Amino acid sequence: MIELDDLDRQILRALVRDATQSASALGRRIGLSQPATWRRIKRLEEAGVIRGRQLRVNAEALGFGVTVFLGVKLATKGRVSLEDFERAVSAIPEVQTVEHVLGLYDYRLRIVARNLADFERVLRRRIMTLPGAGQVEANVLLSEERLAGPI
Amino acid sequence: MIELDDLDRQILRALVRDATQSASALGRRIGLSQPATWRRIKRLEEAGVIRGRQLRVNAEALGFGVTVFLGVKLATKGRVSLEDFERAVSAIPEVQTVEHVLGLYDYRLRIVARNLADFERVLRRRIMTLPGAGQVEANVLLSEERLAGPI
DNA sequence: TGTGAAAGCTGTTCCGG
DNA sequence: CCGGAACAGCTTTCACA
């Protein structure tokens, strides 16, 4: 855990929105020189606050128009079955995210498909045949907004 | 929608894992020159396949050890109440993502908090007082894996 | 901490196969 | 479509207030 000042917070918020902007452009906006901005970014990386930079891919542009969040309840859950389930679900190409959670469901999956018919195929032939998969609950994504969070 | 070849797919998969790597380093690994790799990335950006690059912030390193997914069912849902709800929920600092979904719930929120006691505070004083908020269902995140998806 | 300047790479754009 | 060469701009480092 590390303490941030206002400038650090401004830097993080700006880079969460767009990680391509240069340290000089960012520094100019927040009233800091280019090396000063760069050193702060480096410090945040070394402190583990910045985990990396990730490409945001637009699945729709590739023909995957449907995104579904799937809550999955396992029928049997020992340590082995958790690992088996995770390994098997990670091998499904349509699965974008695997979240192990506590609550009504054991896993939450983010799945993309070309359309709803394609999603039904994934659900029936890939998900429901997973080792240990029990009850599922689906939510179809309509729109999504990513915020900075409490930075 | 755009057709990708193997090289495009390799580029996307590599940049989803780490968007910091240079076109020359990436090109060397997939057997392409630096300008050729750069041109492909540029083409993917212009086609809208690449939406941008985002910083991945480690909330735990900032003292936010608890991540909760919250399904929210609205009590009343006209067009106005949807917009009111979205505006109000976007203003809560602890909310990282707002997903408008179809299914048992109307919205799915990704919320971070310092600990479970802090989450209870957010839930009682921020979420439950939202305009139109009805039934909620929480899932506490244990671990998460982000995959490339069907690229 | 902050600034300013210098060195090495990268992104970006040419042109020719 | 690719690769090679050139330039501007950036990242990265250093010295100093």
Side-chain angles (χ1 to χ4, degrees):
Chain A
M1 188 166 159
I2 184 183
E3 279 305 313
L4 307 182
D5 63 10
D6 274 351
L7 290 170
D8 290 327
R9 264 181 277 270
Q10 279 185 267
I11 289 172
L12 284 176
R13 243 175 297 193
L15 290 178
V16 165
R17 265 184 298 180
D18 174 19
T20 55
Q21 53 195 319
S22 68
S24 67
L26 185 51
R28 208 173 310 128
R29 199 138 17 87
I30 64 178
L32 226 55
S33 73
Q34 190 264 336
T37 311
W38 181 84
R39 265 201 298 262
R40 280 173 179 270
I41 296 173
K42 208 69 193 168
R43 190 169 55 86
L44 291 168
E45 281 172 358
E46 278 157 12
V49 175
I50 295 177
R51 233 192 261 237
R53 289 157 181 82
Q54 202 181 28
L55 206 71
R56 292 194 37 151
V57 175
N58 181 6
E60 248 178 81
L62 295 173
F64 293 90
V66 173
T67 301
V68 179
F69 297 97
L70 205 67
V72 179
K73 194 172 179 55
L74 293 191
T76 58
K77 30 183 156 165
R79 188 179 61 80
V80 178
S81 74
L82 288 185
E83 283 169 11
D84 281 353
F85 179 83
E86 287 177 15
R87 200 184 347 267
V89 85
S90 297
I92 302 174
E94 287 85 0
V95 174
Q96 278 190 332
T97 314
V98 183
E99 284 151 356
H100 187 196
V101 294
L102 226 49
L104 206 51
Y105 297 95
D106 298 308
Y107 285 93
R108 300 208 47 89
L109 311 177
R110 184 187 176 113
I111 299 173
V112 295
R114 304 201 165 272
N115 46 54
L116 282 177
D118 186 38
F119 174 71
E120 194 192 0
R121 175 191 60 82
V122 175
L123 184 64
R124 295 175 84 136
R125 309 180 72 133
R126 304 292 240 143
I127 306 289
M128 299 311 274
T129 60
L130 283 172
Q135 201 182 327
V136 301
E137 186 234 323
N139 288 100
V140 178
L141 180 65
L142 294 176
S143 69
E144 183 176 31
E145 193 185 0
R146 298 202 190 184
L147 309 166
I151 302 175
Chain B
M1 188 168 158
I2 183 182
E3 279 305 312
L4 308 182
D5 63 10
D6 274 352
L7 289 170
D8 290 327
R9 264 182 276 271
Q10 280 184 268
I11 290 172
L12 284 177
R13 243 176 298 198
L15 290 178
V16 166
R17 264 184 299 180
D18 174 19
T20 54
Q21 52 195 318
S22 67
S24 65
L26 185 50
R28 208 173 309 128
R29 198 139 16 88
I30 63 178
L32 224 56
S33 75
Q34 190 264 340
T37 310
W38 181 83
R39 268 196 297 262
R40 281 173 179 268
I41 296 173
K42 208 71 192 167
R43 190 168 54 86
L44 291 169
E45 280 172 357
E46 276 157 13
V49 175
I50 295 178
R51 228 193 265 238
R53 290 157 181 83
Q54 202 180 29
L55 205 71
R56 292 194 36 145
V57 175
N58 181 7
E60 249 179 80
L62 294 174
F64 294 89
V66 172
T67 301
V68 179
F69 296 98
L70 205 67
V72 179
K73 195 171 179 56
L74 293 191
T76 57
K77 29 183 158 166
R79 187 180 59 80
V80 178
S81 75
L82 288 184
E83 283 169 9
D84 281 352
F85 179 83
E86 287 176 15
R87 199 184 348 265
V89 85
S90 298
I92 302 174
E94 289 84 0
V95 173
Q96 279 190 332
T97 315
V98 182
E99 285 150 356
H100 187 195
V101 294
L102 227 49
L104 206 51
Y105 296 96
D106 298 308
Y107 284 93
R108 300 206 47 87
L109 311 177
R110 184 188 177 113
I111 299 173
V112 295
R114 303 202 165 270
N115 46 54
L116 282 177
D118 186 38
F119 174 70
E120 194 193 359
R121 175 190 61 81
V122 175
L123 184 63
R124 294 175 84 138
R125 309 179 72 133
R126 304 291 238 141
I127 307 290
M128 299 311 274
T129 60
L130 283 172
Q135 201 181 329
V136 300
E137 186 233 322
N139 288 99
V140 179
L141 180 66
L142 294 175
S143 68
E144 183 177 31
E145 194 184 0
R146 298 202 190 184
L147 308 166
I151 303 177

